[in-house]
Amino acid sequence: MNKPIIFTDFDGTITTEDTLTGAILPYVDKKEFLEYNGKLERGEMTLSAVVRYAYDDRPAQWLDGMLRYIDTVKIRPGFSKFLDDMEKRGIPVVVISGGFRQFSERKLAPYMKKITALHAVDMTVDGDKLKLVSGYDDGNELLKKTDVMALYDYDFAIGIGDSYTDKNMAKAVDRCFARDVLAAYLDKTGTPYIPYGDFTDVMKGIDKILEEQK
């Protein structure tokens, strides 16, 4: 296998919970939030529109509490060893998050030396309001992951994800590790994937993939 690369999601994949949801829930009407989330599931609203509804133009004073919440979120087991293993193999690991740079950079700070790159949405403060800035918002995805993937030169791509933000990435990679919402979606569409619980499972799966490619 020549020039392999790994593209991994952040929220709910590297972390054990979806920080996009967890960070905003204490500040918004839960019933309304679930209503909008239902519209996303039914295809009545795009992912970009739902995330912008949740965060754009919200009070900037919420940000400190959101960051305190991020500090409590756990990293999925095996992630550090996974990065060590990929570094030894010479396989780049690129994090592509449909969430926010402030969240992912804060949580991944201890690991950044072993991560090739981190792509995420920027949450800025404009006066007393939060604003989302993304150079890869196509109206459907707030950060179109396949556009970010196209920035890299590779022959074989492995994706790791868990949710709505990873659907198109899952179809674009050669092999995909999936769990939770993403796994249910791939089951429904008949798209093959490798299930995982943590990054120990991912490492074992990558071992098999590399053997197959010899």
Side-chain angles (χ1 to χ4, degrees):
M1 179 166 55
N2 298 317
K3 288 188 179 179
I5 194 169
I6 292 171
F7 297 110
T8 179
D9 174 52
F10 172 72
D11 291 291
T13 299
I14 294 175
T15 57
T16 56
E17 58 188 90
D18 185 345
T19 64
L20 274 177
T21 299
I24 198 66
L25 271 182
Y27 303 97
V28 297
D29 182 277
K30 187 174 181 180
K31 183 178 179 182
E32 185 181 11
F33 180 86
L34 292 174
E35 177 187 342
Y36 276 80
N37 199 55
K39 290 180 179 180
L40 171 64
E41 292 176 0
R42 295 189 297 272
E44 298 170 7
M45 287 184 72
T46 67
L47 180 61
S48 175
V50 169
V51 177
R52 287 193 180 280
Y53 148 75
Y55 283 92
D56 249 344
D57 291 321
R58 299 294 190 171
Q61 65 189 27
W62 290 2
L63 183 56
D64 286 343
M66 290 178 185
L67 294 177
R68 286 194 297 271
Y69 155 76
I70 293 299
D71 289 339
T72 70
V73 174
K74 295 180 179 180
I75 296 291
R76 193 169 297 281
F79 181 64
S80 182
K81 290 183 179 179
F82 162 76
L83 290 179
D84 289 341
D85 190 39
M86 295 307 104
E87 184 178 48
K88 289 175 184 176
R89 296 179 184 273
I91 301 176
V93 176
V94 177
V95 178
I96 312 179
S97 174
F100 309 127
R101 187 176 305 279
Q102 283 90 336
F103 294 1
S104 50
E105 283 187 345
R106 190 179 186 93
K107 207 68 197 175
L108 293 176
Y111 311 99
M112 286 306 297
K113 289 183 179 179
K114 294 179 181 178
I115 293 172
T116 301
L118 166 63
H119 300 269
V121 177
D122 289 302
M123 181 190 288
T124 62
V125 175
D126 183 5
D128 61 352
K129 301 291 185 182
L130 297 174
K131 293 287 185 181
L132 306 186
V133 179
S134 172
Y136 299 96
D137 185 351
D138 68 346
N140 291 308
E141 295 179 74
L142 186 56
L143 186 144
K144 190 176 179 182
K145 296 193 175 186
T146 52
D147 281 357
V148 175
M149 290 168 61
L151 302 174
Y152 293 88
D153 180 26
Y154 57 88
D155 298 314
F156 191 95
I158 298 170
I160 312 169
D162 78 299
S163 194
Y164 299 108
T165 65
D166 308 310
K167 290 180 178 180
N168 292 328
M169 178 183 76
K171 294 177 181 178
V173 296
D174 296 286
R175 299 294 292 273
C176 180
F177 290 86
R179 55 175 287 114
D180 203 13
V181 173
L182 179 62
Y185 169 77
L186 296 178
D187 281 334
K188 189 180 296 185
T189 59
T191 305
Y193 66 92
I194 305 166
Y196 72 98
D198 57 29
F199 279 92
T200 300
D201 298 330
V202 173
M203 284 188 286
K204 291 176 181 176
I206 289 175
D207 282 342
K208 292 180 180 178
I209 292 171
L210 296 178
E211 279 298 316
E212 292 170 0
Q213 296 297 317
K214 286 183 178 179

